[in-house]
Amino acid sequence: KINKKSPDDAPQTAVMRLLSGRTHRVITSVCLIDRSGHISQKTVTTKIVMKHLTDAEIAEYVASGEWHGVAGYKIEGLLAGFVKKIIGSHSGVIGLPLYETRNLLNGAGIR
């Protein structure tokens, strides 16, 4: 479903033009404080390689409104069709870096 264009679309259109045909990084961190107060933390950097987007593709994505309420895009939605490659943690781009979180939990004795 395509929503009508709104004035809020201009900044998102600019973001999509910046991402088009480029590689960008998504940085996600997770922190664990165990019962003894010991802090463990892991930061994950994931590279996202985007295809070159046509003006029509950008307009269609922005008009979808899918990006509202998230930091510019949802990789698990329509934008997934524009991603050429993900180098790193897919789950970290969506939200919680699961591999790293599990390792932190295991390190704290939580299975």
Side-chain angles (χ1 to χ4, degrees):
K1 180 179 175 183
I2 303 296
N3 299 326
K4 292 186 178 185
K5 195 171 187 174
S6 77
D8 294 342
D9 292 349
Q12 184 62 28
T13 298
V15 166
M16 298 309 293
R17 286 194 176 120
L18 285 172
L19 296 175
S20 176
R22 296 187 173 139
T23 299
H24 65 281
R25 291 177 178 86
V26 175
I27 301 169
T28 308
S29 289
V30 61
C31 181
L32 174 74
I33 303 172
D34 67 19
R35 290 184 179 144
S36 68
H38 180 263
I39 299 172
S40 301
Q41 178 271 336
K42 180 69 178 169
T43 298
V44 181
T45 300
T46 302
K47 292 182 182 178
I48 309 293
V49 182
M50 301 287 290
K51 76 178 270 303
H52 176 76
L53 302 171
T54 65
D55 288 342
E57 288 171 325
I58 291 171
E60 183 178 336
Y61 183 74
V62 172
S64 77
E66 175 178 90
W67 52 275
H68 287 284
V70 295
Y73 66 78
K74 285 173 49 178
I75 202 164
E76 70 274 22
L78 296 173
L79 193 85
F82 303 141
V83 174
K84 290 172 72 172
K85 187 187 299 186
I86 297 173
I87 305 163
S89 173
H90 184 268
S91 64
V93 176
I94 294 171
L96 184 67
L98 298 175
Y99 175 80
E100 293 76 13
T101 300
R102 185 169 193 265
N103 285 341
L104 288 174
L105 290 168
N106 286 342
I110 302 168
R111 304 265 185 257

